[in-house]
Amino acid sequence: MFRTALRNVLAHKARLLMTVLAVMLGVAFVSGTLVFTDTLDQAFTKQSAKSYDDVAVAVSSHADPDDPKQEPGISRATLDRIAGVDGVATATGRVEGFAGVPDEAGKLIGVGWSNKGANFAPGKDGKDPRYDFVEGGGPVSGGRIALDRETAAEGGYEVGDTVRVATNGPVEEYRLQGVFTTDDGGVSAGGSLVLFDTQTAQRLFLKPGYFADVTVTAAPGADDAKLLGAIEPLLPEHAEAQTGKVLAEQQAKEIEAGLSAFNQIFLGAAGIALFVGVFLIANTFTMLVAQRTKEVALMRAVGASRKQITRSVLAEAAIVGLVASAAGYLLGIGLAAGLRSGMASFDLKVPDGPLVLGVTPVLSALGVGLVVTMLAAWLPGRRAAKIPPVAAMNSLHAAPTQKSLVVRNSIGGGLALIGGGLIVYGALEGGETGRFLIAGGAFLALIGVIMLIPLLSRPLIAAVRPLMVGVFGISGKLAGQNAVRNPRRTGATASALAIGLTLVTGLSVLGVTVGQSIDRMTTDQIKADYMVRMAGGGFLDQSALTALEKAPGVTAVSPQQAAYLEIGGEFTSASAVTPGDVEQVLNVERTAGSLDSLGRGQIAVAEKTAKSRGWKVGSTLPVTYNDEKKGTLTVGAVYRDSEFLSPVLIDRKVVALHETKPYIPSIFITMDGGGSAANEKALVDALGNNPAITVMDHQDIRDEFGGMINMMLNIMYGLLAMALIIAVLGVVNTLAMSVFERQQEIGMLRAIGLDRRRVKRMVRLEAVVISLYGAVVGIALGSFLGWAIGETVKNSLPGYALVLPWDRIGIFLLLAGLVGVLAAMWPARSAAKLNMLNAIKAE
């Protein structure tokens, strides 16, 4: 039986190639993802461990710099005490924060969030072990800096040049003292690193005389654990110490956790691709078994048992699965290498190191490929074993009984109804619970619809058959009849496209709906001409607000300053704003009281917060400020909730009395004449042409909030393209086998006058009809799921309204039709080339 299985594989190489390709693509996604994430994990973990190779103990401060009752970090006196501990070789204080430099065009080098500045801390030998200088040396006095090699090269800087450095304060100029290499993770991730002398770094990022971290190296023979025990009693309450080994292990776990989400997205896409591949494999083996009906019957007649027949088909599947798994694993290695190189296009870098080819990806590739292939082939094998020998030898193929069709349709209908009910219930329930219900319902509904697709194919395709006949004549009539002749085969082929387009359409409906809701939200709620933000999402300095207030042409400016107050015994987030100007830059819908009360030191409260806490205009509330001073605040107005404002509005001058440093994530500006190139230049000039500060107009603001959704949609489209490619292979496979099965019929048609051109058209139309049928089912189900998921998030998006992206749906239908045309090229050519006499004689 094994020799028979091997012979069948070799006899049907071309037909099984499609199955091999389907499994190979899915396996490649799985193995490539595992290899890629293993490579990233090992590269970053090694880099992290290398950073702590010489560190015996690491001390970190968690002080609140705004708390006047505690020190802002680790003092010089504490550092000296740590250095005096017996067994300590060196104790180095570190401080860091945001710093960036521009390139020749004035654009910030790096990606914002990974642009750092730190202090150069030389030892007695004048060197800092963290940095290896390739040119010049480290800065040891004010007015001088050093840059990492990649940043210096990208900016075209050489030792001795003057470099503009942007921090959270005004831009300052420094002389470039040296260029270095480093294993710093931020630089490896595509960022930049600027080194200052210690005094300058403390002034910029913390406070003179204080450090954020301390790294301790041990003298020869000293024990790290004992050093830790001796250092901990010397630390203030807001600091903690760990051994370098523990810290390296901790960072390795954080890196692994950070990569897990990325891993899950790719593996999810691979799972979808394999799920689609199951239908292609099952379809392939079903038709191969059907074509070998006489052969199977003869084997049964000469003594082969049902189990042997089933095992023969499974052995055939195992051979195909092994070949596909091996090819998929090799392709996955290439995919991992491509993904690693492709990260550079997102301004992300991976530390140097080889691809990690572990055991897990190999076993996963083999396991997934074999399991999927054999699982899909099991049902056709079982069906083949049940064929009665006498009936098969008489060419009376055992068609599915009416009972089996009724059972299939009944189960499919039940699953679809249960799944649809769960989806609707989840949409009504909302929140995370609702999304879980929708996920479960979507799985059941998808399985149910797939089971019902053969039943639905007849009426739906019959509805468009008159159009096909009217436009394409006899070719259209024959194509329509062929599409519904074998509903199971048509259903299996259409199912692959339906699954892919269900996911793509659902994502599109949800993405476009949420995107337009966010777009309306920004358009409706932001009246300002410009919004100013810090690169990487940091906080703007007070000097930026002062500069913008003095800029020519500015008519109104208000920060969206973050403040936290304890009001009425509960901590409440507040937006500190400029009274009078905030209404000109943001749409604050007052429902009670007057916003002019902000200028009199009162507060405005969001409608939902006021209702939940029982506050109203005139309520006097006890408040504790950030410096722990107490007072009272009066509610002067109530306004409608806004995504751009905290539950409480307060005059920024009131908050300034209790905070040493304001936290300003964004500033809104309205200008005389609205948005224009001249006005934007005036703001940029007022900010000192700071490359780390972004001035955004209305379109930039819309892109800022909606761009991430579009980017995620494009990424998911790319990942789901794998499933659609497999679906195309399924259409090709089905048509090729359909042509093979209908050789006699095609020969007769050719003999009675159907020319080659119309034969090709018949096969192409059949492919287009099946593809469009699957697309329509997928689009309908995807739109339903998109609506349901949207209902669970609409409460968090003001103005949410379902949007069906008809333009994208139209593109999906056109692509489905194109898939049918392309998939039919080879089968149509084969059908047209059939020799009519040989075809008529074929069995």
Side-chain angles (χ1 to χ4, degrees):
M1 296 305 293
F2 180 77
R3 286 199 301 271
T4 302
L6 184 61
R7 189 207 64 186
N8 285 329
V9 170
L10 296 176
H12 302 99
K13 293 186 290 292
R15 296 174 212 164
L16 288 172
L17 177 63
M18 300 297 176
T19 302
V20 170
L21 286 173
V23 179
M24 182 184 72
L25 290 174
V27 169
F29 234 131
V30 173
S31 58
T33 298
L34 293 174
V35 169
F36 180 56
T37 51
D38 284 350
T39 300
L40 289 185
D41 188 15
Q42 187 175 102
F44 283 115
T45 299
K46 280 187 176 180
Q47 184 188 64
S48 174
K50 188 176 180 181
S51 301
Y52 293 100
D53 274 349
D54 299 323
V55 177
V57 176
V59 180
S60 301
S61 170
H62 304 292
D64 181 359
D66 291 328
D67 188 347
K69 292 186 176 182
Q70 64 177 211
E71 293 179 309
I74 300 167
S75 67
R76 168 63 69 176
T78 302
L79 178 64
D80 292 339
R81 286 195 293 272
I82 293 172
V85 171
D86 186 32
V88 170
T90 62
T92 307
R94 303 286 181 182
V95 61
E96 64 180 35
F98 172 82
V101 298
D103 58 18
E104 294 177 356
K107 184 181 177 182
L108 184 70
I109 297 173
V111 291
W113 57 268
S114 57
N115 290 348
K116 290 197 310 183
N119 66 311
F120 175 70
K124 293 178 181 179
D125 59 356
K127 296 181 180 180
D128 189 328
R130 283 194 176 186
Y131 313 107
D132 295 322
F133 280 84
V134 294
E135 294 180 48
V140 292
S141 60
R144 298 175 185 272
I145 61 165
L147 292 175
D148 68 272
R149 183 166 57 185
E150 287 79 8
T151 301
E154 189 171 342
Y157 295 115
E158 296 181 355
V159 172
D161 287 351
T162 298
V163 183
R164 299 175 71 247
V165 180
T167 59
N168 288 86
V171 176
E172 298 182 22
E173 293 186 346
Y174 298 85
R175 178 187 173 91
L176 184 59
Q177 184 75 17
V179 177
F180 59 89
T181 60
T182 178
D183 293 320
D184 184 275
V187 174
S188 298
S192 63
L193 179 58
V194 183
L195 293 182
F196 303 88
D197 64 283
T198 296
Q199 288 75 23
T200 300
Q202 288 174 331
R203 171 178 62 83
L204 291 172
F205 305 132
L206 195 57
K207 188 176 180 179
Y210 288 91
F211 301 93
D213 305 288
V214 174
T215 54
V216 176
T217 60
D223 182 71
D224 293 355
K226 289 182 179 180
L227 285 180
L228 178 65
I231 289 171
E232 283 182 323
L234 305 177
L235 303 179
E237 291 183 359
H238 57 75
E240 68 171 344
Q242 292 175 298
T243 62
K245 182 180 178 181
V246 170
L247 200 58
E249 291 173 352
Q250 201 174 71
Q251 287 205 358
K253 289 180 180 178
E254 291 173 359
I255 290 168
E256 187 177 349
L259 292 173
S260 65
F262 177 86
N263 202 10
Q264 288 169 6
I265 291 172
F266 272 82
L267 288 177
I272 292 166
L274 288 168
F275 184 52
V276 173
V278 166
F279 293 92
L280 170 57
I281 299 165
N283 213 14
T284 301
F285 278 94
T286 298
M287 287 186 282
L288 285 174
V289 168
Q291 290 169 14
R292 300 203 305 266
T293 303
K294 281 193 174 183
E295 176 188 322
V296 171
L298 182 60
M299 293 173 68
R300 289 291 312 282
V302 297
S305 66
R306 288 186 176 185
K307 288 183 179 180
Q308 286 179 310
I309 297 295
T310 304
R311 283 199 295 265
S312 173
V313 175
L314 290 178
E316 193 174 336
I319 295 169
V320 172
L322 279 172
V323 172
S325 298
Y329 175 69
L330 295 175
L331 183 61
I333 294 174
L335 177 64
L339 285 171
R340 182 172 176 172
S341 301
M343 288 186 74
S345 61
F346 291 95
D347 294 324
L348 299 172
K349 298 177 184 176
V350 180
D352 292 334
L355 285 174
V356 178
L357 304 179
V359 177
T360 302
V362 177
L363 296 178
S364 298
L366 290 173
V368 167
L370 280 173
V371 168
V372 168
T373 309
M374 294 183 72
L375 180 66
W378 175 76
L379 190 59
R382 186 168 174 269
R383 193 178 296 139
K386 289 184 176 181
I387 296 175
V390 175
M393 292 175 72
N394 284 303
S395 298
L396 299 174
H397 295 190
T401 64
Q402 190 66 29
K403 180 182 177 182
S404 70
L405 293 174
V406 170
V407 170
R408 174 192 175 114
N409 294 333
S410 299
I411 295 174
L415 289 175
L417 284 174
I418 294 171
L422 283 174
I423 292 171
V424 172
Y425 182 66
L428 296 174
E429 180 72 17
E432 189 172 352
T433 302
R435 287 190 285 276
F436 274 118
L437 290 171
I438 290 171
F443 179 75
L444 293 177
L446 193 59
I447 298 297
V449 168
I450 288 170
M451 295 181 74
L452 289 173
I453 276 181
L455 176 67
L456 298 173
S457 64
R458 289 185 182 276
L460 290 179
I461 295 176
V464 298
R465 195 184 302 161
L467 178 64
M468 295 169 63
V469 174
V471 177
F472 299 103
I474 188 64
S475 296
K477 181 178 181 179
L478 291 172
Q481 290 174 342
N482 291 333
V484 296
R485 177 182 296 177
N486 189 333
R488 284 180 182 268
R489 184 176 63 210
T490 298
T493 306
S495 295
L497 274 173
I499 294 167
L501 281 173
T502 294
L503 298 169
V504 170
T505 305
L507 284 171
S508 298
V509 170
L510 184 62
V512 170
T513 299
V514 172
Q516 290 198 16
S517 297
I518 292 175
D519 190 54
R520 282 195 299 270
M521 182 175 69
T522 56
T523 304
D524 295 344
Q525 297 189 25
I526 297 179
K527 297 162 66 176
D529 298 315
Y530 295 98
M531 181 173 73
V532 173
R533 280 193 167 185
M534 199 75 182
F539 293 108
L540 292 157
D541 189 71
Q542 175 67 38
S543 60
L545 179 60
T546 303
L548 290 170
E549 289 174 333
K550 296 178 181 178
V554 171
T555 57
V557 57
S558 177
Q560 189 190 29
Q561 182 177 329
Y564 292 92
L565 311 171
E566 186 179 330
I567 303 177
E570 293 185 42
F571 281 100
T572 306
S573 61
S575 291
V577 298
T578 302
D581 285 8
V582 66
E583 305 100 299
Q584 298 181 54
V585 297
L586 294 173
N587 187 14
V588 186
E589 295 184 44
R590 178 188 58 81
T591 58
S594 172
L595 291 172
D596 293 338
S597 60
L598 290 173
R600 299 192 295 271
Q602 298 181 355
I603 61 172
V605 182
E607 202 170 30
K608 290 181 181 177
T609 301
K611 185 177 181 180
S612 65
R613 299 197 187 182
W615 297 346
K616 58 184 179 179
V617 173
S619 297
T620 300
L621 310 170
V623 60
T624 301
Y625 295 99
N626 202 44
D627 58 1
E628 296 192 357
K629 291 184 179 179
K630 300 183 182 296
T632 58
L633 289 172
T634 302
V635 177
V638 177
Y639 62 93
R640 200 174 303 279
D641 290 72
S642 167
E643 292 297 311
F644 289 91
L645 293 170
S646 298
V648 171
L649 297 184
I650 189 170
D651 187 347
R652 62 187 177 88
K653 291 180 181 178
V654 175
V655 174
L657 298 173
H658 305 279
E659 291 186 349
T660 57
K661 181 181 179 181
Y663 292 94
I664 306 174
S666 55
I667 301 172
F668 296 94
I669 305 108
T670 300
M671 301 190 73
D672 188 14
S676 67
N679 280 340
E680 185 172 338
K681 186 177 184 304
L683 295 180
V684 171
D685 290 343
L687 293 166
N689 198 22
N690 190 327
I693 298 179
T694 305
V695 178
M696 295 184 284
D697 60 17
H698 270 285
Q699 188 58 49
D700 294 331
I701 295 170
R702 294 166 73 178
D703 293 342
E704 172 79 7
F705 291 100
M708 182 61 71
I709 291 174
N710 290 328
M711 186 181 77
M712 289 302 297
L713 273 179
N714 290 333
I715 290 173
M716 293 309 298
Y717 286 160
L719 294 176
L720 292 174
M722 185 71 73
L724 294 178
I725 290 172
I726 293 174
V728 172
L729 295 177
V731 177
V732 175
N733 213 25
T734 299
L735 289 174
M737 292 191 173
S738 178
V739 168
F740 179 83
E741 286 178 353
R742 303 202 307 263
Q743 284 187 74
Q744 268 193 341
E745 175 188 317
I746 293 171
M748 290 294 295
L749 291 172
R750 292 276 289 112
I752 61 176
L754 193 68
D755 58 25
R756 290 183 175 181
R757 181 173 58 85
R758 284 187 286 184
V759 168
K760 286 182 179 180
R761 184 183 297 168
M762 175 187 73
V763 177
R764 288 183 189 134
L765 285 173
E766 181 181 349
V768 170
V769 166
I770 293 173
S771 298
L772 287 176
Y773 169 55
V776 168
V777 173
I779 288 170
L781 188 55
S783 299
F784 179 50
L785 288 174
W787 162 80
I789 298 171
E791 289 294 301
T792 67
V793 300
K794 71 176 184 180
N795 290 334
S796 59
L797 287 174
Y800 176 91
L802 179 68
V803 177
L804 290 177
W806 294 112
D807 54 342
R808 300 193 189 195
I809 288 174
I811 291 173
F812 296 157
L813 287 172
L814 285 175
L815 288 175
L818 182 62
V819 162
V821 172
L822 294 176
M825 288 179 66
W826 173 50
R829 185 179 176 84
S830 299
K833 280 187 172 183
L834 283 176
N835 183 292
M836 65 181 75
L837 294 179
N838 290 336
I840 291 171
K841 292 188 296 180
E843 292 186 6

